[in-house]
Amino acid sequence: HNTHEAIKRDELGLNEVRSHIWNGIVFINISGDADPFEVVFADLLKRWAEFDVPVYHGGKDSIIRFDLKTNWKLIIENYCESYHLPWVHPGLNSYSRLEDHYHIEEPGKFSGQGTYVYRQIKDEDGTVFPDFPNLSEKWDTAGEYITFLPNVMVGVQRDHMFAIILDPVDVDRTIEIAHLFYAAPEVSPTLRAKNAEQWRVVFEEDIMAVEGMQRGRRAPAFDGGRFSPAMDGPTHIFHDWVAGQVETYRAMKEAAE
């Protein structure tokens, strides 16, 4: 090792940035002053404790990407509720109906929806994906879909998970990227492709809804955009979270000035 008295090696290394990996998502705390990931998201980790196992990315054909002409918040609103299913997702709604869903509401923490009738897809020979180990009976037919950060949406089912990251490029443009994960490192390629295509169709069907909301009430074919008091609870939790963050930022800015 070469040394020189004028070179202070301890001062020349890269700055360490706190990070945490959960279900294939890398979380970064640049300031370094946040509570540990396990503390901040303790309630979500407890809810999905049965899925605290290794997960395996499906590869390049398990990445779904959209360039959307809409604000990122409208995508979250759409994801959090299920009452758009009959109109936006007729295929999905044929077996996972509006009345088969339930709300997930944890104010200030996360919100979303769940279904009681998740249905595994099968290959031509009847093959299905391997299940995550030691799941309770609830997950035989259930699936849950949650937003727990402003631009991160996650979903779990008995045999695979997904994570959706939103990149807010502009006030009216968002890049949406979904990644699919499985319980085993090797799964049927044809079944994996079939699953990716199924989710691609579902996510693509939402484009009409979120881009229509971006255009607004006076846009062609937009019929008024009514909210449902009975069904929109999870979305309102997201609204409250965003409003709270804006207020916190405003207070910090005023204090700094």
Side-chain angles (χ1 to χ4, degrees):
H1 296 281
N2 296 322
T3 61
H4 190 283
E5 61 181 12
I7 297 177
K8 300 179 181 180
R9 296 176 59 190
D10 292 341
E11 298 177 4
L12 296 178
L14 297 176
N15 293 326
E16 182 178 357
V17 176
R18 290 180 62 191
S19 63
H20 184 89
I21 299 177
W22 180 70
N23 287 344
I25 311 170
V26 180
F27 298 85
I28 302 295
N29 173 217
I30 295 178
S31 68
D33 57 6
D35 288 331
F37 180 90
E38 296 85 352
V39 173
V40 176
F41 301 111
D43 293 305
L44 178 57
L45 296 178
K46 181 179 178 180
R47 184 183 187 96
W48 286 353
E50 294 173 88
F51 293 94
D52 186 18
V53 295
V55 297
Y56 302 91
H57 195 279
K60 63 180 181 180
D61 60 352
S62 294
I63 302 173
I64 306 167
R65 184 184 187 278
F66 295 107
D67 189 335
L68 305 175
K69 298 175 182 178
T70 187
N71 185 275
W72 64 273
K73 294 184 289 297
L74 297 177
I75 300 174
I76 297 291
E77 291 180 8
N78 179 82
Y79 184 82
C80 284
E81 47 83 2
S82 56
Y83 68 94
H84 70 282
L85 288 177
W87 299 274
V88 178
H89 305 296
L92 178 61
N93 189 69
S94 66
Y95 63 89
S96 183
R97 304 164 302 169
L98 173 60
E99 55 266 40
D100 295 322
H101 287 72
Y102 57 92
H103 293 171
I104 300 171
E105 299 178 338
E106 292 291 340
K109 299 174 182 177
F110 54 86
S111 66
Q113 56 174 307
T115 178
Y116 295 112
V117 291
Y118 168 69
R119 185 173 68 181
Q120 288 183 293
I121 64 171
K122 297 181 179 181
D123 217 336
E124 293 180 357
D125 61 359
T127 301
V128 296
F129 292 123
D131 289 340
F132 290 103
N134 305 316
L135 294 180
S136 59
E137 291 183 0
K138 166 187 175 178
W139 298 106
D140 287 349
T141 56
E144 291 192 345
Y145 313 99
I146 286 175
T147 296
F148 68 105
L149 278 175
N151 67 325
V152 181
M153 303 177 289
V154 288
V156 296
Q157 297 88 188
R158 61 185 290 177
D159 54 3
H160 73 284
M161 303 178 180
F162 65 74
I164 303 175
I165 309 298
L166 302 179
D167 180 9
V169 179
D170 208 332
V171 295
D172 58 357
R173 182 181 173 216
T174 303
I175 303 299
E176 176 181 325
I177 304 179
H179 295 263
L180 305 179
F181 301 85
Y182 298 92
E186 299 292 337
V187 296
S188 165
T190 56
L191 190 59
R192 187 180 62 209
K194 184 177 180 180
N195 189 45
E197 176 61 14
Q198 177 176 283
W199 279 116
R200 185 196 66 77
V201 169
V202 171
F203 297 150
E204 192 172 52
E205 289 173 340
D206 286 317
I207 295 177
M208 173 272 296
V210 297
E211 289 189 347
M213 287 190 290
Q214 178 68 33
R215 290 191 298 269
R217 292 178 181 272
R218 294 181 176 82
F222 195 75
D223 62 1
R226 303 290 193 274
F227 280 110
S228 165
M231 296 300 300
D232 224 37
T235 304
H236 290 161
I237 287 177
F238 169 68
H239 291 166
D240 292 342
W241 186 92
V242 172
Q245 295 299 308
V246 171
E247 184 59 34
T248 298
Y249 173 77
R250 180 184 295 115
M252 292 174 61
K253 185 178 181 181
E254 291 178 353
E257 293 174 350

